[in-house]
Amino acid sequence: MADRDDLIEEMDEIRPNAPMRTETFRLNRPMIVSSEAPDDPFPIRMVGEVQHGFKRGSRELGCHTANLPDDAIAPMTSKVKTGIYFGYARVHPECPEGTPSEMPEEDFAVWPMVMSIGWNPFYKNEKLTAEVHIIHQYAADFYGHTMSVVVLGYIRPELDYTSKEALIEDIQTDIKVALNSLKRDAYQRYETDPSFEA
């Protein structure tokens, strides 16, 4: 029992506690964030092969997510704090490991995205992850495909929740905030960022 308690204590030292989401926070969320143009350190560009995650996004939260490998998220983790971010992402036809998924051409276009980088405190993750929700309905899974991401701004801090329903509500708000924030010209131009052509 002592060993288990020691392990939990070590994990807690590694995984910081996130603040609890409050009703005041929910009622006062802005529906557009960031300046009129991306501020330093944005844009941040990442690329990597889509990894298998916890499969919670679609099954429990109604929100498909694509996980980037640890080495791909280094440009992000070295510059920003944990939280929810927005920008654009593209799944490429290339699938370096395995068989490419059969998907229509539109699935390989650039789409808006919301990204969580952190410990997912509601689920008590033991490692830092980057989970990208591309705001598009895909025809098939795309594990192993190369994905490019351009992060353009910060939406909110990583929070803990008293219920799954509260988390889902915030995810849906995050999507609306991202879409609203990307409507500005200085953000829309990143939809054709050269990194998406690689």
Side-chain angles (χ1 to χ4, degrees):
M1 188 68 168
D3 289 343
R4 179 179 176 277
D5 291 341
D6 289 343
L7 180 61
I8 291 171
E9 190 172 274
E10 284 177 22
M11 285 166 38
D12 285 343
E13 287 175 8
I14 296 168
R15 183 183 63 233
N17 290 325
M20 192 65 69
R21 184 255 217 171
T22 64
E23 187 67 6
T24 301
F25 175 84
R26 185 184 74 82
L27 294 172
N28 292 288
R29 291 197 61 183
M31 294 308 292
I32 190 165
V33 293
S34 297
S35 303
E36 285 302 306
D39 292 320
D40 189 61
F42 305 107
I44 297 174
R45 296 171 177 85
M46 298 182 290
V47 62
E49 293 171 28
V50 177
Q51 309 286 299
H52 285 274
F54 300 103
K55 302 189 187 305
R56 291 187 299 237
S58 56
R59 187 177 66 236
E60 296 186 25
L61 304 175
C63 170
H64 292 272
T65 58
N67 292 61
L68 285 169
D70 293 347
D71 59 339
I73 67 174
M76 191 81 179
T77 57
S78 64
K79 294 180 181 177
V80 301
K81 57 190 174 183
T82 61
I84 312 302
Y85 294 84
F86 71 94
Y88 290 102
R90 180 188 179 213
V91 175
H92 297 261
E94 297 79 22
C95 187
E97 302 290 330
T99 306
S101 297
E102 292 186 20
M103 298 191 292
E105 195 63 33
E106 70 171 15
D107 283 359
F108 298 117
V110 177
W111 295 98
M113 69 86 189
V114 174
M115 184 181 80
S116 166
I117 185 158
W119 301 89
N120 292 314
F122 182 72
Y123 289 104
K124 306 293 186 280
N125 281 13
E126 296 178 20
K127 64 175 283 191
L128 189 74
T129 59
E131 298 177 77
V132 179
H133 170 60
I134 303 176
I135 307 170
H136 171 70
Q137 190 66 45
Y138 283 86
D141 290 332
F142 44 84
Y143 296 117
H145 279 259
T146 300
M147 180 172 67
S148 297
V149 177
V150 176
V151 185
L152 297 174
Y154 173 77
I155 295 179
R156 64 172 176 87
E158 183 174 45
L159 300 171
D160 201 352
Y161 294 85
T162 56
S163 71
K164 185 168 62 177
E165 290 71 27
L167 171 57
I168 291 170
E169 181 183 15
D170 261 3
I171 290 171
Q172 293 306 312
T173 302
D174 294 336
I175 291 169
K176 293 174 187 174
V177 171
L179 292 173
N180 289 341
S181 301
L182 288 170
K183 286 178 182 177
R184 295 167 292 183
D185 291 343
Y187 291 86
Q188 285 185 338
R189 71 184 186 88
Y190 285 96
E191 193 172 359
T192 56
D193 192 78
S195 65
F196 292 129
E197 298 170 12

